[in-house]
Amino acid sequence: GMNTSKSETVKDHPLKPSRRSMPCLVQSQTHPQSLSKHSSFLQPNRVQPQPLSAGTSTATVDVVSERAKVVETLENNLLKLSNTEYGDPFIDVGKDKDTYTDDSEHGNYDARTDQSLLIQNKLTRQRTEPRTKSSLKSHAMASSGLFFKDGKKRIDYILVYKKSSPQVEKRSTFEKNLRAEGLMLEREPAVTNSDIMFVKVHCPWETLCKYAERMNIRMPFRKKCYYTDWRSKTMGSLQRNMRELKSWLPRNPMKLDKEALPDLEETDCYTAPFSRARIHHFTINNKDSFFSNSTRSRIVHHVLQRTKYEDGKSKMGINRLLNNGTYEAAFPPHEGSHKSRHPIKTHGAQNHRHLLYERWARWGMWYKYQPLDLIRRYFGEKIGLYFAWLGWYTGMLIPAALVGLFVFLYGLFTMDSSQVSKEICEANETVMCPMCERNCTLQKLNESCIYAKVTHLFDNGGTVFFAIFMAIWATVFLEFWKRRRAVLTYDWDLIDWEDEEEELRPQFEAKYSQVERVNPITGKPEPFQPFPDKLSRLMVSVSGIFFMISLVLTAVFAVVVYRLVAMEQFASFKWYFIKKYWQFATSGTGVCINFMIIMSLNVVYEKVAYLLTDLEHPRTESEWENSFALKMFLFQFVNLNSSIFYIAFFLGRFAGRPGKYNKLFNRWRLEECHPSGCLIDLCLQMGVIMVLKQMWNNFMELGYPLLQNWWSRRKMKRRGQSMENKISLPQWEKDWNLQPMNLHGLMDEYLEMVLQFGFTTIFVAAFPLAPLLALLNNIIEIRLDAYKFVTQWRRPMPARATDIGIWYGILEGIGVLAVITNAFVIAITSDYIPRFVYAYKYGPCTDQGYRQEKCLKGYVNSSLSVFDLSELGMGYSGYCRYRDYRAPPWSSTPYEFTLQFWHVLAARLAFIIVFEHLVFGIKSFIAYLIPDMPKDLCDRMRREKYLVQEMMYEAELEHLQRERKKNGKQYHHEWP
């Protein structure tokens, strides 16, 4: 039931193994089975699937206790099947390196391993013949770096160790136990470094079947055709007409060409948990490609994690061996090179990696949708979900960026017609009070004309609308991501998948091995952390977090002090330009210093977060990751945003008034806002931090690994010059020279994007261009990450996951915080409310019920208070103006707050309450309206469940009918 090509068929094998002795094999059918187009497209080195002998499996030997019987059975079976099974099986093995062992290191094995080795060696000696064409072909296939030396056994995993490593005993025990589990190993020394040894791991068909069943891996068993037929029948005439209309429209340029990507088999097949007893149900066209490479790697990883290397409860797993230096690395190999001499259009893709590079990681594909099914197939579901989320977030940023750009352009076009800007630019008679204590000259109000115009770009009538829009956008983004995730988990067969019971961290076991408790899930005793111990560690961790956050606030305070000191210095600077725009110079240098502090503190935090998380002793790896991620997010979030919070809500609020300024340490006068408001400082701070941080992150993500890989290649070339002939490196050695995927996996990638999400939503009222900057960055980020995964990093272990983990909760938290901060930014930082109050209560349009720019006539004069310069004692006379609502010096209560001040304050508080309730109400209503799973998907799942049961029933009935006919029993038309 798949896309078949008649050109290739799998012929019957003359030797049919019995079902009793071979529970894993499909019984040969009399009709030829078709191979999928997909496998022929991507696997030029595919070999015909052949039945394996029961005798070759080490597991079978377990049953027999006596040594002689083992030898006899194995010899007979191997000699009988050597012609049919592998052609010439072990021709090249004895000469170069033993396929199964390296004599220099291993001597003592148990009986079964020893015997099987003896037999392999005996066969090797008996059957040394000249190389045939097939053996040359297999040698060429092996040299490509994807197969063992026989050119047939595919490499599923690579282990790397140093010959000089002292942990010989652990390694030999571990490898012996791996063979006992059914894996095949082959050693090969490195070409460029004589101390490095590679162990290639192959998982035979029987072992794959055994573990696929244990791990409940879902495999395809019939093509999906019922659902689409049924759906087209139930489709209304309107939907049909819409479809026809769509077919007339030009093709979406963002979609990938159907010809460019092969059909991925699993996506259009029903799947069921694999079972050896029901193997006849599954669509096995070719045993080599039935389990995809990532599935094979996952099965091998599962075995590696659960194999012992010493006696003792916890002495098992590849992770511990990597930690104690027994092995240097363990990774699944890439499927060959990501580049080809021939163009992909004419010659097709060499392998999945080449296909991913050409159709996803190249910069030329920046506007195309991502081939998510291919990413998932190559890198596993966890990485597939990250790229799905990143793509979804980037797509959702498009409307936000467009609306933000529209608000900005609206400000740009109305800049000259703005009444407030006009009044400030025309006020050449209005004298402003000096902004600093010494060296400051009196400035005219019209000198800040440019500031007023730039402020209008970000602080105009569209700002409030945009803040509400972005709060709703954040909710819609998260709700629709839930739906997208549901579709993906269905397509990728993760609906019924549950996390396997995670193994404990070695550090946790070592610490709490004395206290044991029965695990309620597995029913086995395991180390247990007492509650008082857990609580005390948590308290230390929390106090550590608070200490680090207070350190950030101290850094912000230091920047504030710098600004106060620099303000006076720049105001009396000898360069005219700086002297004139001293406020801009103060803000600009303050932001840059702040950015440098942020980046240096980030390095410190990572170390502290590690220490605190290790101190907590989390039980499992995922608990450790979640705890670490939360700490890193808190640290980085406070680090990035604390200075922005200061500028938005504290700058200029406590400065006092002329003649009675508040001073820091009785020396430096606190900073004041510009005559046209503090919003321009906030925009500058956000713009600089956002742009610089994104540039730095992109350099660290791509530039750094590129430099490292270039350096390692350079070192290899130096070594290679001493070699007489240049040897092309096998794939596993090329992979070993790549960078390993960083220690905490996708955490850094998610953290960067989540912090960016905070930037685009939290202060968006002050900086409407933030979504546009984020969109441009993400378009680059997707291809950067893709390029890094495909070309710069070793292939990560294909892990499974059903969601984005702790990050979803963090994103929801940011969405809530964004509503509150935007309400405060509009009410407190911007001049929206004072203008609003003036227009309705004090301006020329008072009580007329409509509002235009002309209603703001006289607003600037009304927002400035009067001060008597003679009170300063600096030799000035006359009056100056300053931003505040205070009584003039000639009134009965000079410099007291006026009624307008209290009106504005009341309006600000009222706006905050109304805005928050309104937006939270809309958010909740939208979240309620949008179901987490599309109705279409619910129907599909229920129908498929029903169809799968029907098909299983039919297939079982057919199978039993065939069995009865074969056995010659009379058949009654009834369920047996």
Side-chain angles (χ1 to χ4, degrees), residues 775-833:
L775 174 66
L776 296 174
N777 176 71
N778 285 12
I779 289 170
I780 298 168
E781 180 76 26
I782 288 177
R783 304 302 152 183
L784 256 183
D785 282 352
Y787 184 80
K788 188 172 61 181
F789 271 95
V790 174
T791 69
Q792 299 302 307
W793 278 359
R794 285 178 204 155
R795 189 175 181 177
M797 213 295 289
R800 307 202 90 188
T802 53
D803 55 22
I804 60 173
I806 195 172
W807 300 107
Y808 185 83
I810 291 174
L811 288 170
E812 281 192 319
I814 290 175
V816 170
L817 183 65
V819 177
I820 300 165
T821 47
N822 281 318
F824 276 89
V825 167
I826 294 166
I828 291 172
T829 316
S830 80
D831 280 351
Y832 178 78
I833 300 297

Side-chain angles (χ1 to χ4, degrees), residues 776-967:
L776 296 174
N777 176 71
N778 285 12
I779 289 170
I780 298 168
E781 180 76 26
I782 288 177
R783 304 302 152 183
L784 256 183
D785 282 352
Y787 184 80
K788 188 172 61 181
F789 271 95
V790 174
T791 69
Q792 299 302 307
W793 278 359
R794 285 178 204 155
R795 189 175 181 177
M797 213 295 289
R800 307 202 90 188
T802 53
D803 55 22
I804 60 173
I806 195 172
W807 300 107
Y808 185 83
I810 291 174
L811 288 170
E812 281 192 319
I814 290 175
V816 170
L817 183 65
V819 177
I820 300 165
T821 47
N822 281 318
F824 276 89
V825 167
I826 294 166
I828 291 172
T829 316
S830 80
D831 280 351
Y832 178 78
I833 300 297
R835 290 202 299 265
F836 186 83
V837 169
Y838 178 80
Y840 277 91
K841 191 83 182 98
Y842 297 94
C845 308
T846 306
D847 302 329
Q848 289 179 28
Y850 69 94
R851 184 174 166 250
Q852 289 170 328
E853 282 293 331
K854 66 176 185 184
C855 298
L856 289 173
K857 206 171 243 178
Y859 164 73
V860 172
N861 189 41
S862 136
S863 71
L864 297 174
S865 302
V866 182
F867 178 72
D868 188 354
L869 274 171
S870 58
E871 290 180 33
L872 278 179
M874 289 168 73
Y876 294 118
S877 61
Y879 294 107
C880 68
R881 309 296 297 269
Y882 62 98
R883 263 176 69 99
D884 213 340
Y885 296 103
R886 289 179 186 267
W890 55 80
S891 75
S892 56
T893 53
Y895 306 125
E896 289 298 313
F897 288 122
T898 61
L899 185 62
Q900 190 173 350
F901 170 83
W902 300 108
H903 277 160
V904 168
L905 184 65
R908 280 178 161 158
L909 295 175
F911 174 82
I912 289 170
I913 293 164
V914 170
F915 181 90
E916 283 185 5
H917 282 68
L918 176 73
V919 175
F920 279 131
I922 296 171
K923 274 169 78 87
S924 306
F925 183 61
I926 286 174
Y928 169 74
L929 277 185
I930 301 172
D932 289 354
M933 198 178 277
K935 185 180 182 303
D936 180 41
L937 183 65
C938 289
D939 292 346
R940 266 162 82 178
M941 283 166 64
R942 285 163 66 186
R943 175 156 180 82
E944 286 197 6
K945 206 171 185 181
Y946 164 74
L947 286 172
V948 166
Q949 287 171 343
E950 290 284 305
M951 284 188 284
M952 281 288 193
Y953 173 84
E954 283 169 22
E956 197 63 45
L957 204 60
E958 279 173 31
H959 177 63
L960 283 160
Q961 284 176 12
R962 277 203 307 274
E963 287 286 301
R964 288 193 164 194
K965 277 179 187 172
K966 197 188 287 179
N967 298 338

Side-chain angles (χ1 to χ4, degrees), residues 370-383:
Q370 301 181 85
L372 290 176
D373 285 333
L374 201 63
I375 298 167
R376 169 248 177 168
R377 189 189 173 97
Y378 194 82
F379 291 113
E381 284 79 2
K382 198 172 187 176
I383 291 170

Side-chain angles (χ1 to χ4, degrees), residues 157-159 174 178 183 185 201 297 299-308 316-319 321 330-331:
Y157 226 85
I158 298 287
L159 305 176
F174 183 68
L178 286 180
L183 299 182
L185 310 179
V201 183
S297 300
I299 289 172
V300 173
H301 183 76
H302 179 88
V303 179
L304 292 173
Q305 290 283 57
R306 284 158 182 75
T307 302
K308 289 198 169 192
M316 62 154 75
I318 188 69
N319 287 358
L321 291 173
F331 51 88

